[in-house]
Amino acid sequence: MSLKAIAVMASGRGSNLRVILDAVAAGNCPVDVQLVISDKAEAQALDIARAANVPQVLHITPKDYTDRAAFDAACAEAIDAADCQWIVLAGYMRILSSPFVRRFRQRIINIHPAILPAFPGAHAVDDALTYGVKVSGCTVHLVDEVLDGGPILAQAVVPVLDDDNCESLHARIQAEEHKLYPATLARMVELGFHFDGRKVIWNT
Ligand code: GAR
């Protein structure tokens, strides 16, 4: 298995997938996107992947499976068949089942639009605004069985302005996501990391 082969799972707009593919094409991110999976037929991420000639682009429909574990098992089969070392979640809005997380322990990466451990969950940008924080940002982290609770790989901070709404704050956060995610994936395959407790230490 190539240690650079990644599968991307995405449910929506796919801007993070796009910047990863752009960084790969520009020679700035030495990963190899072998597979893109979406749970949503209408996800723009699917079109972005097809336009970039990703070898396998799959829409897997949750309704075709009896439960979450069965759906996740189908995704896992596709990931293993494509020989992917890493699973990169890019706006993937389904909670992963425990068997899936265990199968790919410390090989699943997510980006979250808040400075974890503040504001986990599906409404992070709104929750941060409602709380009234003065800074927010994004977190790239490993996925474990706690929602948005895995070891942190990288974070970037943005200011929250008095007149921000969800859209304006999310746009500012996404500008940082688009730099942080490809850079972190590059570091991951070029340097690697180890652990000190739950703390991630980047190899030098
Ligand atoms: C990103 O902002 C990402 O942080 C967020 O969804 C957006 C996807 O954007 N992820 C989550 O909220 C996961 N809990 P994209 O589809 O344009 O990459």
Side-chain angles (χ1 to χ4, degrees):
M1 179 192 292
S2 158
L3 296 180
K4 296 179 172 187
I6 71 170
V8 178
M9 300 177 82
S11 302
R13 209 158 60 91
S15 69
N16 279 288
L17 170 64
R18 187 195 299 277
V19 294
I20 292 166
L21 290 166
D22 287 350
V24 172
N28 296 327
C29 185
V31 300
D32 182 10
V33 183
Q34 279 294 323
L35 170 65
V36 170
I37 297 175
S38 182
D39 57 319
K40 299 263 193 261
E42 68 280 10
Q44 273 175 267
L46 290 169
D47 300 326
I48 291 167
R50 289 190 197 104
N53 295 317
V54 171
Q56 274 198 77
V57 182
L58 301 178
H59 167 225
I60 303 182
T61 312
K63 274 192 304 208
D64 290 347
Y65 298 88
T66 46
D67 56 20
R68 190 148 54 94
F71 172 82
D72 283 357
C75 295
E77 292 305 313
I79 290 163
D80 278 342
D83 242 3
C84 292
Q85 167 70 10
W86 301 100
I87 296 112
V88 173
L89 309 181
Y92 187 64
M93 300 312 279
R94 290 174 65 83
I95 293 174
L96 295 167
S97 58
S98 295
F100 185 97
V101 173
R102 284 199 298 271
R103 182 165 172 165
F104 299 111
R105 184 164 293 290
Q106 287 164 10
R107 291 165 53 198
I108 311 171
I109 297 112
N110 183 43
I111 191 156
H112 181 76
I115 297 295
L116 292 169
F119 312 118
H123 308 289
V125 180
D126 245 342
D127 291 347
L129 267 180
T130 304
Y131 195 91
V133 292
K134 299 299 187 196
V135 294
S136 189
C138 53
T139 303
V140 179
H141 65 97
L142 293 167
V143 173
D144 65 13
E145 281 152 285
V146 178
L147 179 66
D148 298 322
I152 290 170
L153 292 167
Q155 293 182 305
V157 174
V158 303
V160 178
L161 307 181
D162 289 344
D163 60 353
D164 265 333
N165 56 33
C166 193
E167 204 173 67
S168 62
L169 178 57
H170 198 184
R172 195 173 309 116
I173 291 170
Q174 284 224 295
E176 291 304 316
E177 291 187 339
H178 294 164
K179 291 183 264 179
L180 191 68
Y181 218 1
T184 305
L185 297 180
R187 223 171 159 199
M188 191 178 81
V189 297
E190 280 171 343
L191 295 181
F193 53 79
H194 58 279
F195 294 94
D196 173 6
R198 61 162 284 137
K199 187 160 71 171
V200 170
I201 311 285
W202 288 97
N203 298 334
T204 47

